[in-house]
């Protein structure tokens, strides 16, 4: 066809039909790409293939935009697709299918070659003699007779991983990507997500017109826009028009809620949402008005958290896109059958333009093990079943998260075709990427998945590894993973590239070990000795002859500093900071003091959800072995060691067993305003004397917390009270005052949590 035309005829056509000329030129580029790759396989020999690159698909009438077809027989190759990206994808698909060429990652291009050691990236193919046999066969007898037509399951396919933006990865796997491979650009999108503050900036409008913003518990706050405000709607339209004028080529424009739960509850918004059975009601009515003003654009909005359920009455206009998010879903099991499926089914009745925003990693612990392997394909198949047309798989844009190369590869294959067998995909990748270590690496994935399944626990996006200490991250499982990967390291010790790849997997186990074994639930493997001295702390390790925990921390930090990730949480915590924090935690983890393991009588017991496993009977009984005075201080994870009181004071009596002299009380509290955890306003201590069943106050001391209500970094802070004179007493009453309402800067009208551990007497 066109590509076979002579050069002079080509020039003539360019002259007469300029637009054809462009097309011809593009097809020539794909032909060259194909020739160039084949030449590389055969080590500079051209085999004289007769190549046709066409823009017309014959297999299907009205094939979707990115569909392609190819066929081959002996010396003939034909490639066809309507656009140049799809043709390039077709070239790679052909080379992958017929020659076994694969692009595992930018650092692992599995290119077949007659000369296996010709280039460094061909090192791996040394183990694949069958590839070489195949090439010899093609050299001798020509290409096999084959034909293929492919179309994508989803029209928009974005896999948000650093790996997918490197080299030719996106082109090879047919991902939707911008020409410059940047993260900020989502092809064809002008504004992407959480845009209402951009379109109605609170710094400009909230002071003058608080009524344009959300009413929560009786007060206006800037967190979200009041979507029944006509003035807010007009301003959003005006500002959106300006944005569009600056980027006229973009089709999709997001008009969407901000990333918090504080949607407007004013009488108008509340009435709409009640009538619609969902907070999506006021959103869709608002967005439809915007969409009417821009009939040639598509207005996208979120169905996210509080707005995930579809409205009962209002249908999104045809030029509205719904960005439906799976953020809450359990990743231990496929989504099918959950309330997310119900929401998806309902939205799919209202709209045929749905982008599913799916999440595939743990964003608070980028290196931690996250065995969601069994849901990746199943969930994409479910989205396909309901006619979802766009997919955004959110991983992480910086390299070296847990199993990043495998995740990027498998997801890229699955967003094209979710019905592929995921197990075969994982096996293929592992075999080619980990070579001699593949058996152990595959076993690691299997074992983690089985252990998670057996425990019946959910796998969600932000949980600390220690959550799974009785599941797939128990000491016994961590030991087994370590043994497997030690074996894999031994097997690859003479192969630096493979050895390095296995080390990156070991990083995940090192991290989980440090994070899980700091809990008393680690039993004999606990990082701290139950009878600690500076000499015996964390000098032992997970395995009898293995490295100590101190060495594990050193090795983990060294590797992370060299090879990433540059931060361990999606927004913060460099490896150096992690090292310093862990060292500080270790130095302060245990303590001895005069109230150590003494009996406690709660006058206000902590909330049931945050008692750190303590079995608290009632507020009349003495309790022993309480977390609050067990000599083990909580870390920044509020889920462990801490006791929590919501909107109430912590109030209890400690029985020292006999009279003793106390000079100082110190209590540590947690700050984490995202989780509604705030510092106390005051610490009050009374020395009591028990007289005929009644406690009489002998002495009272108190100290105010100077930082109460301030916006502090997430962390643990001390509040100490040195008495005006020593207190000689057997019973002490401790009262830690909860400031009650959250500070106004938090933007939420709710009660704060008080998290305390440990209360120490000196
Ligand atoms: Zn409102």
């Amino acid at each position: 066809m066109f590509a076979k035309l002579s050069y002079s005829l080509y020039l003539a056509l360019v002259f007469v039909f300029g637009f054809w000329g462009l097309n011809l030129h593009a097809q020539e580029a794909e032909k060259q790409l194909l020739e160039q790759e084949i030449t590389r396989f055969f080590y500079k020999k051209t085999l004289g293939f007769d190549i046709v690159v066409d823009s017309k698909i014959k297999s299907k009438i009205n094939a979707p935009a990115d569909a392609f077809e190819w066929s081959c027989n002996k010396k003939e190759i034909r490639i066809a697709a309507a656009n140049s990206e799809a043709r390039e994808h077709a070239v790679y698909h052909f080379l992958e299918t017929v020659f076994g060429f694969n692009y595992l990652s930018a650092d692992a291009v599995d290119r077949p070659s007659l000369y296996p050691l010709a280039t460094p990236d061909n090192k791996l193919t040394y183990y694949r003699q069958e590839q070489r046999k195949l090439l010899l066969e093609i050299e001798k007898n020509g290409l096999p007779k084959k034909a293929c037509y492919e179309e994508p399951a989803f029209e928009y396919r974005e896999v948000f991983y650093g790996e997918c933006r490197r080299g030719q990865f996106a082109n090879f796997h047919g991902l939707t990507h911008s020409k410059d491979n940047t993260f900020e650009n989502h092809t064809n999108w002008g504004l992407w997500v959480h845009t209402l503050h951009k379109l109605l900036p609170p710094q400009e409008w909230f002071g003058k017109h608080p009524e344009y913003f959300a009413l929560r518990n009786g007060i206006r706050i800037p967190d979200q826009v009041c979507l029944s405000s006509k003035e807010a709607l007009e301003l959003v339209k005006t500002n959106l028009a300006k944005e569009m004028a600056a980027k006229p080529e973009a089709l999709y424009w997001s008009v969407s809620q901000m990333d918090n739960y504080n949607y407007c509850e004013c009488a108008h918004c509340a009435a709409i949402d009640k009538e619609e059975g969902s907070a999506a009601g006021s959103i869709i009515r608002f967005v439809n008005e915007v969409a009417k003003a821009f009939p040639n654009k598509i207005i996208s909005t979120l169905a996210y958290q509080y707005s995930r359920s579809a409205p009962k009455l209002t249908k999104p206009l045809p030029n509205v896109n719904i960005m439906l998010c799976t953020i809450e879903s359990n990743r231990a099991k496929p989504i099918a059958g959950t309330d997310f499926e119900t929401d998806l089914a309902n939205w799919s009745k209202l709209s045929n333009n749905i982008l599913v925003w799916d999440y595939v990693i743990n964003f608070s612990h980028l290196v931690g093990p996250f065995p969601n392997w069994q849901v990746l394909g199943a969930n994409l198949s479910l989205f396909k079943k309901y006619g979802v047309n766009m997919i955004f798989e959110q991983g992480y844009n910086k390299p070296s998260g847990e199993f990043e190369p495998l995740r990027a590869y498998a997801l890229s294959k699955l967003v094209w075709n979710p019905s592929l067998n995921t197990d075969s995909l994982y096996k293929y990748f592992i075999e080619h990427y980990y070579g001699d270590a593949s058996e152990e690496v595959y076993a690691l994935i299997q074992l983690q998945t089985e252990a998670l399944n057996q425990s019946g626990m959910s796998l969600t996006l932000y949980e600390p590894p220690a959550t799974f200490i009785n599941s797939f991250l128990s000491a016994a499982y961590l030991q087994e993973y370590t043994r497997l990967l030690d074996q894999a390291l031994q097997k690859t010790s003479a192969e630096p590239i493979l050895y390095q790849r296995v080390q990156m997997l070991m990083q995940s186990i090192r991290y989980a070990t440090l994070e899980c074994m700091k809990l008393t639930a680690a039993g004999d493997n606990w990082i701290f000795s139950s009878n600690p001295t500076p000499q015996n702390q964390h000098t032992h390790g997970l395995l009898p002859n293995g490295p100590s925990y101190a060495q594990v921390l050193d090795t983990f930090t060294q590797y992370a500093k060299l090879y990433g990730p540059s931060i361990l949480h999606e927004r913060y915590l460099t490896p150096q900071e992690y090292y310093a924090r862990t060292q500080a935690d270790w130095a302060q983890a245990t303590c001895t003091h005069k109230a150590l393991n003494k009996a406690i009588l709660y006058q206000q017991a902590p909330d049931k959800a945050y008692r750190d496993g303590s079995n608290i009977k009632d507020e009349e009984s003495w309790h022993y072995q309480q977390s609050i005075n067990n000599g083990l201080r909580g870390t920044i994870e509020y889920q462990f060691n801490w006791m929590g009181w919501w909107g109430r004071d912590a109030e209890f009596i400690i029985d020292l067993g006999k009279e003793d002299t106390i000079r100082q009380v110190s209590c540590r509290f947690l700050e984490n305003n995202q989780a509604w955890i705030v510092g106390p306003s005051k610490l009050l201590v009374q020395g009591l004397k028990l007289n005929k069943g009644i406690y009489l106050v002998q002495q009272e001391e108190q100290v105010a917390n100077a930082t109460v209500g301030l916006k502090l970094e997430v962390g643990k802070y001390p509040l100490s009270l040195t008495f005006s004179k020593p207190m000689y007493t057997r019973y002490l009453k401790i009262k830690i005052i909860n400031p009650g309402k959250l500070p106004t800067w938090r933007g939420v009208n709710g009660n704060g949590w008080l998290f305390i551990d440990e209360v120490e007497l000196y």
Side-chain angles (χ1 to χ4, degrees):
M1 289 288 283
F2 292 143
K4 287 169 80 179
L5 295 171
S6 74
Y7 188 62
S8 56
L9 183 54
Y10 164 67
L11 283 183
L13 279 169
V14 170
F15 184 72
V16 180
F17 305 105
F19 64 98
W20 276 21
L22 281 174
N23 204 359
L24 274 173
H25 190 74
Q27 285 158 236
E28 194 60 33
E30 288 110 37
K31 184 182 168 182
Q32 276 172 15
L33 172 69
L34 183 54
E35 279 172 345
Q36 181 193 325
E37 286 297 348
I38 291 176
T39 309
R40 289 173 80 174
F41 300 165
F42 291 96
Y43 198 58
K44 295 179 185 166
K45 268 188 278 183
T46 49
L47 297 190
F49 288 119
D50 185 8
I51 299 172
V52 174
V53 177
D54 197 348
S55 60
K56 181 132 183 67
I57 287 180
K58 293 175 181 169
S59 311
K60 189 171 178 177
I61 300 162
N62 296 329
D66 293 341
F68 62 79
E69 66 188 3
W70 56 256
S71 58
C72 61
N73 189 19
K74 302 286 182 195
K75 293 273 169 186
E76 284 169 16
I77 303 170
R78 181 179 173 276
I79 305 274
N83 64 67
S84 63
E85 286 86 1
R87 284 192 294 271
E88 188 178 352
H89 185 208
V91 166
Y92 285 127
H93 189 270
F94 165 73
L95 295 174
E96 184 180 0
T97 312
V98 176
F99 290 88
F101 178 28
N102 217 330
Y103 208 98
L104 303 172
S105 79
D107 295 330
V109 181
D110 193 16
R111 181 178 275 115
S113 172
L114 280 180
Y115 295 84
L117 293 172
T119 58
D121 65 0
N122 273 329
K123 171 92 173 68
L124 286 175
T125 61
Y126 182 74
Y127 304 101
R128 302 192 67 217
Q129 291 304 320
E130 70 271 26
Q131 274 190 343
R132 194 157 180 270
K133 270 189 226 153
L134 185 70
L135 293 188
L136 289 169
E137 170 67 22
I138 291 172
E139 193 180 33
K140 195 173 151 209
N141 296 324
L143 294 160
K145 187 173 161 62
K146 275 189 180 171
C148 171
Y149 167 79
E150 286 269 330
E151 62 180 49
F154 307 100
E155 124 198 358
Y156 183 94
R157 305 167 300 280
E158 185 170 357
V159 178
F160 192 75
Y161 262 114
E163 195 54 62
C164 301
R165 301 294 201 282
R166 296 171 64 204
Q168 295 301 106
F169 190 96
N171 314 57
F172 190 99
H173 296 286
L175 297 175
T176 307
H177 63 288
S178 60
K179 289 265 183 290
D180 57 0
N181 255 348
T182 52
F183 272 94
E184 296 70 25
N185 290 335
H186 304 274
T187 306
N188 229 359
W189 288 70
L191 288 173
W192 177 241
V193 77
H194 299 312
T195 58
L196 273 167
H197 275 182
K198 187 176 179 68
L199 297 170
L200 187 67
Q203 58 274 29
E204 193 182 339
W205 293 101
F206 185 71
K208 284 180 277 183
H209 290 285
E211 74 278 13
Y212 296 174
F213 294 87
L215 185 77
R216 297 287 296 182
N217 302 303
I219 49 167
R220 292 280 171 181
I221 55 170
D223 297 31
Q224 301 283 358
V225 168
C226 171
L227 297 174
S228 53
S229 160
K230 294 279 173 280
E231 294 79 9
L233 173 65
E234 288 312 310
L235 284 166
V236 165
K237 284 199 277 190
T238 306
N239 287 334
L240 182 58
K242 286 181 199 158
E243 296 284 336
M244 287 174 174
K247 206 177 173 186
E249 71 285 3
L251 179 63
Y252 281 79
W253 291 88
S254 174
V255 175
S256 54
Q257 71 201 53
M258 300 311 295
D259 198 0
N260 62 66
Y261 281 88
N262 303 325
Y263 58 91
C264 186
E265 295 174 327
C266 77
H268 291 294
C269 291
I272 296 169
D273 292 345
K274 193 176 173 211
E275 195 182 15
E276 296 273 13
S278 166
S282 50
I283 293 175
I284 296 301
R285 290 190 193 186
F286 184 92
V287 167
N288 275 352
E289 290 305 312
V290 179
K292 273 183 209 162
F294 303 100
N296 299 321
K297 299 288 181 186
I298 295 174
I299 306 301
S300 173
T301 198
L302 279 169
Y304 172 61
Q305 295 179 332
Y306 62 82
S307 64
R308 207 188 71 188
S309 297
K312 281 184 196 150
L313 306 173
T314 307
K315 208 178 155 169
L317 290 179
N319 67 325
V320 168
N321 164 272
I322 304 300
M323 201 179 238
L324 176 62
C325 306
T326 66
I327 193 161
E328 307 85 355
S329 297
N330 168 17
R331 268 81 193 168
K333 287 180 181 159
I335 282 173
T338 65
D339 53 1
F340 184 89
E341 185 180 3
T342 311
D343 288 344
L344 173 58
N346 289 336
W347 280 112
S348 73
K349 286 174 205 152
L350 302 179
S351 173
N352 55 14
N353 194 346
I354 299 176
L355 180 148
V356 166
W357 183 311
D358 193 24
Y359 305 76
V360 288
I361 57 167
N362 183 325
F363 295 92
S364 296
H365 302 272
L366 299 173
V367 196
F370 193 70
N372 60 341
W373 304 106
Q374 55 196 338
V375 309
L376 299 179
N379 287 349
L380 282 163
S381 292
L382 184 81
F383 306 150
K384 169 77 184 152
K385 179 180 148 191
Y386 284 99
V388 167
N389 55 318
M390 302 176 110
I391 286 291
F392 179 75
E393 291 287 356
Q394 190 184 0
Y396 197 61
N397 61 354
K398 293 192 173 70
S400 304
E402 186 239 8
F403 267 117
E404 187 211 11
L406 170 58
R407 293 175 182 283
Y409 176 85
L411 283 165
S412 299
K413 290 287 185 205
L414 291 167
V415 294
W416 181 268
N417 180 4
S419 62
L420 291 173
N421 181 309
T422 49
D423 201 46
S424 307
L425 270 182
Y426 302 153
K427 270 188 181 150
Y428 179 91
F429 181 91
I430 289 170
E431 215 170 273
H432 292 78
Y433 190 80
Y434 294 102
D436 287 345
S438 58
E439 205 179 301
E440 287 78 12
V441 174
Y442 183 70
L444 179 74
I445 286 181
Q446 288 242 299
L447 193 56
Q448 288 183 357
T449 308
E450 279 166 24
L452 172 65
N453 286 347
Q454 269 170 20
S455 73
M457 283 185 76
S458 296
L459 186 68
T460 54
L461 300 178
Y462 303 96
E463 295 289 341
T467 311
F468 300 98
I469 192 162
N470 294 317
S471 172
F472 70 99
L473 296 179
S474 68
Y477 277 120
L478 286 168
Q479 284 170 343
E480 188 51 30
Y481 308 148
T482 307
R483 269 192 215 103
L484 273 173
L485 291 181
D486 270 339
Q487 208 167 297
L489 286 172
Q490 276 171 28
K491 283 189 179 178
T492 53
S493 59
E495 301 160 284
I497 294 174
L498 299 188
Y499 183 84
Q500 167 64 15
R501 288 176 185 166
V502 177
Q503 280 289 5
M504 294 316 285
L505 300 183
M506 191 64 117
Q507 282 294 82
S508 147
I509 306 307
R510 290 186 185 116
Y511 180 75
T513 299
L514 294 168
E515 287 302 294
C516 294
M517 295 301 104
K518 66 186 181 188
L519 299 191
T520 44
D524 293 344
N525 296 97
W526 192 32
I527 286 179
F528 308 100
S529 166
S530 49
N531 188 13
T533 68
Q535 284 72 40
N536 70 7
Q537 275 195 31
H538 42 82
T539 51
H540 56 300
L542 194 60
L543 291 169
N545 297 314
S548 69
Y549 290 121
Q551 286 166 325
V552 172
L553 176 62
D554 282 348
T555 313
F556 173 77
T557 312
Q558 279 167 21
Y559 263 97
K561 278 198 305 209
L562 283 172
Y563 303 108
S566 51
I567 45 179
L568 304 178
H569 176 284
E570 64 173 324
R571 289 192 305 276
Y572 51 80
L573 200 61
T574 64
Q576 291 92 324
E577 285 165 348
Y578 178 75
Y579 181 83
R581 191 180 91 181
T582 306
Q583 288 284 9
D585 279 352
W586 285 1
Q588 308 161 10
T590 55
C591 56
T592 51
H593 53 85
K594 290 186 172 178
L596 188 67
N597 295 325
K598 301 294 186 195
I600 304 264
L601 177 76
Y602 291 100
Q603 296 188 309
Q604 288 211 59
D607 284 63
K608 283 206 171 74
Y610 294 103
R611 292 179 169 181
D612 194 38
S614 296
N615 183 14
I616 298 174
K617 246 169 70 189
D618 51 42
E619 291 172 354
E620 277 88 47
S621 313
W622 288 96
H623 295 88
Y624 301 86
Q625 290 172 334
Q626 294 299 290
S627 153
I628 204 158
N629 62 334
N630 64 352
L632 182 63
R633 294 168 173 150
T635 60
I636 63 163
E637 283 93 11
Y638 64 84
Q639 294 92 336
F640 310 103
N641 293 330
W642 298 89
M643 287 190 158
W645 286 261
W646 189 34
R648 297 179 300 125
D649 302 333
E651 194 176 348
F652 49 89
I653 296 173
I654 301 175
D655 178 3
L656 298 176
K658 61 178 172 45
E659 288 180 320
D660 200 350
T661 304
I662 305 297
R663 293 181 170 82
Q664 192 194 42
V665 173
S666 168
C667 84
R668 293 164 83 255
F669 61 90
L670 197 60
E671 288 273 0
N672 182 342
N673 77 71
Q674 273 300 105
W676 294 29
I677 299 170
V678 295
S681 56
K682 196 194 279 185
L683 167 63
L684 189 139
V685 180
Q686 293 173 336
L688 304 177
K689 192 174 176 70
L690 190 58
N691 187 9
K692 295 175 188 167
I694 295 168
Y695 292 104
L696 302 174
V697 178
Q698 301 291 295
Q699 183 181 340
E700 182 173 301
E701 303 273 347
Q702 54 178 285
V703 64
N705 174 17
T707 63
V708 66
L710 299 182
K711 193 171 185 174
L712 301 183
E713 291 283 305
V714 172
K716 45 211 180 334
Y717 297 84
L719 181 58
S720 288
L721 167 58
T722 304
F723 300 155
S724 56
K725 57 178 190 204
M727 207 180 264
Y728 186 70
T729 185
R730 174 175 168 176
Y731 300 99
L732 284 102
K733 175 168 169 160
I734 311 282
K735 194 167 177 179
I736 307 160
I737 311 294
N738 188 322
K741 294 277 182 217
L742 290 167
T744 44
W745 55 259
R746 184 59 182 75
V748 190
N749 188 9
N751 284 325
W753 279 92
L754 198 58
F755 269 62
I756 305 295
D757 189 72
E758 155 137 338
V759 172
E760 301 160 29
L761 270 53
Y762 296 101

